[in-house]
C-alpha cells in the first residue's frame, strides 16, 4: 500500500493518515508476501513510514494486530445465502472460506491458535452456519455437529493442501526422479494414488475439496434433523 498520495492542486505528496485499518491492511500484505514470522512492529512502522511507537495509538500491540488481520481475512468469506436451499448456501460459503484461506495461507494456524481472542468475523461465520442449519429444521445438537464437520473440513483440508503443495520454484527433475524410483511393487495402491495426483484433471470434475465437502453435506442431509 502506498505511503503517500499526490495532491492534485499542488502536485505535492500528501502523507496518508495512519489508522487501524491501514495498519492492518499493510500487515496482511507483509504476511502474505513474507510469512507470519516477518510481521514485526518495526517492519510495520518501516512500511508505513512511521516510528513503530506511533502504531500504538491505533493498535494495542502484536496480539491485537494478529486478531485484526485474521478478522480482515475471514471477512472475505461470502456468508450471504446464494439460495433458499441450506445445502447450496452452506456449500457456497464453505468454498468461499477455502479460497480465502488459500489466498492467505498463514490464517489457518492463527484461527486454530488457543491464544486467539474473539474475532468478530469468525463469530459471524460460525453463527451463519448454525443459523442456516437451524432454519433448515436441524436440532441444536445436529446443527452443532454439522457445523463442526463443515468447519473441520475447511480448516483441515486447507492445511493439508498447503502442506502438500509443491513450490513453484521446485525442480521438476526432483519430482521425476521420485516417481521413477518409487517402489511400486511394495506399494502398488499408493503408486496408483501417486499417479492419480499427476493426472490432468477434467474441467468438469469436482475438486478434492468440493468432493469431501459434498460427502459431509450428504451426511448432514441424511441425519435425523430432530436428533
Amino acid at each position: 500500500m502506498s505511503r503517500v498520495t499526490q495532491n492534485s492542486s499542488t502536485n505535492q505528496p500528501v502523507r496518508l493518515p495512519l489508522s487501524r485499518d491501514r495498519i492492518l491492511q499493510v500487515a496482511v500484505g507483509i504476511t502474505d508476501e513474507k510469512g507470519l514470522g516477518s510481521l514485526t512492529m518495526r517492519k510495520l512502522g518501516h512500511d508505513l513510514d512511521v516510528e513503530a511507537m506511533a502504531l500504538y495509538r491505533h493498535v494495542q500491540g502484536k496480539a491485537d494486530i494478529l486478531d485484526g488481520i485474521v478478522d480482515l481475512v475471514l471477512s472475505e468469506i461470502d456468508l450471504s445465502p446464494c439460495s433458499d436451499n441450506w445445502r447450496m448456501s452452506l456449500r457456497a460459503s464453505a468454498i468461499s472460506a477455502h479460497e480465502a484461506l488459500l489466498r492467505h495461507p498463514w490464517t489457518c494456524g492463527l484461527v486454530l491458535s488457543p491464544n486467539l481472542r474473539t474475532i468478530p468475523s469468525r463469530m459471524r461465520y460460525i453463527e451463519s452456519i448454525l443459523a442456516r442449519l437451524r432454519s433448515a429444521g436441524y436440532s441444536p445438537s445436529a446443527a452443532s455437529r454439522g457445523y463442526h464437520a463443515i468447519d473441520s473440513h475447511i480448516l483441515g483440508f486447507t492445511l493439508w493442501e498447503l502442506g502438500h503443495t509443491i513450490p513453484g520454484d521446485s525442480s521438476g527433475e526432483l519430482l521425476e526422479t521420485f516417481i521413477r524410483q518409487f517402489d511400486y511393487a511394495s506399494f502398488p495402491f499408493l503408486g496408483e494414488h501417486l499417479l492419480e495426483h499427476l493426472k490432468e484433471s477434467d474441467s468438469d470434475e469436482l475438486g478434492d475439496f468440493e468432493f469431501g465437502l459434498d460427502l459431509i453435506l450428504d451426511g448432514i442431509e441424511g441425519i435425523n434433523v430432530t436428533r
Side-chain angles (χ1 to χ4, degrees), residues 57-188:
R57 293 197 292 270
H58 304 276
V59 295
Q60 297 175 17
K62 180 71 174 290
D64 187 29
I65 290 172
L66 294 179
D67 288 351
I69 61 176
V70 170
D71 192 36
L72 272 182
V73 170
L74 297 186
S75 68
E76 296 177 13
I77 300 172
D78 185 5
L79 300 179
S80 57
C82 63
S83 77
D84 293 332
N85 182 298
W86 69 266
R87 176 182 175 132
M88 291 179 62
S89 178
L90 282 180
R91 189 179 192 276
S93 288
I95 292 172
S96 175
H98 177 57
E99 291 172 346
L101 294 173
L102 287 179
R103 286 193 297 271
H104 310 281
W106 45 269
T107 310
C108 282
L110 288 180
V111 169
L112 295 171
S113 169
N115 299 320
L116 200 66
R117 298 191 294 275
T118 299
I119 303 297
S121 56
R122 173 74 172 160
M123 303 291 283
R124 288 191 293 271
Y125 157 80
I126 297 172
E127 178 73 9
S128 73
I129 295 176
L130 293 170
R132 280 176 274 185
L133 289 171
R134 292 287 285 121
S135 295
Y138 288 90
S139 69
S141 175
S144 178
R145 298 178 77 174
Y147 153 69
H148 282 300
I150 294 169
D151 192 48
S152 60
H153 177 63
I154 294 169
L155 290 169
F157 187 94
T158 305
L159 282 170
W160 175 88
E161 187 173 4
L162 291 170
H164 286 78
T165 299
I166 299 174
D169 58 354
S170 294
S171 169
E173 292 181 5
L174 292 176
L175 181 59
E176 290 176 7
T177 300
F178 178 80
I179 295 169
R180 194 167 55 247
Q181 296 179 349
F182 186 82
D183 186 357
Y184 292 94
S186 298
F187 307 101

